[in-house]
Amino acid sequence: MIKFAVIAPLLLSVGCTFIARDPDSYREVTRELVETRGADLEDCYDVALRTDESVGGTVVVNFTVEKKTGKIMNPVVDEAQSNAPAELSSCVITAIDGLQLDPPDAREGQATFRWKFEAKPAAPAA
């Protein structure tokens, strides 16, 4: 099971072209964009489970949404807040790589996303 949370994308600078979303709209479209990779994130966890059936933990990723292009730039695992294995964290970075808001925004955004990976509870023995 993957639990997902958006921690506060922040708007940093103001431009005068493209769409200028308010903070709530920016947060929502960024969340929706990242959610398009839900299957890839599940695959990351499934691969990790093949090696260790009890693997789990939290992956926190910080990134910038580039103004005018909408590209996710410089995604980095926040090591201080993450406790999942490095391979799982790396897979999360790869899964969101290449995402791009369409249409882009006139403002640059800073975002923090958190994923919690937990093994599903075992079914009770009959």
Side-chain angles (χ1 to χ4, degrees):
M1 176 189 322
I2 302 173
K3 294 182 181 178
F4 166 74
V6 177
I7 309 287
L10 303 172
L11 301 178
L12 293 182
S13 61
V14 178
C16 53
T17 60
F18 301 90
I19 289 178
R21 296 173 176 95
D22 64 64
D24 290 335
S25 295
Y26 207 129
R27 185 178 301 109
E28 179 66 18
V29 297
T30 304
R31 182 189 57 77
E32 289 172 357
L33 178 66
V34 171
E35 284 180 349
T36 65
R37 296 292 170 91
D40 295 328
L41 294 166
E42 287 182 28
D43 287 345
C44 289
Y45 191 50
D46 289 343
V47 168
L49 283 171
R50 287 185 205 133
T51 329
D52 178 356
E53 292 178 358
S54 65
V55 71
T58 300
V59 178
V60 178
V61 176
N62 300 312
F63 60 85
T64 300
V65 180
E66 188 176 61
K67 67 181 178 179
K68 297 186 180 179
T69 68
K71 291 180 184 178
I72 287 182
M73 304 296 290
N74 306 317
V76 167
V77 173
D78 184 331
E79 299 291 341
Q81 296 186 57
S82 300
N83 61 6
E87 297 80 16
L88 183 54
S89 296
S90 178
C91 189
V92 168
I93 295 290
T94 300
I96 66 171
D97 188 35
L99 289 175
Q100 184 171 342
L101 283 179
D102 185 25
D105 201 278
R107 301 175 184 133
E108 183 173 88
Q110 295 295 316
T112 297
F113 280 73
R114 174 185 309 269
W115 292 269
K116 185 169 184 175
F117 297 91
E118 301 176 323
K120 294 178 185 173

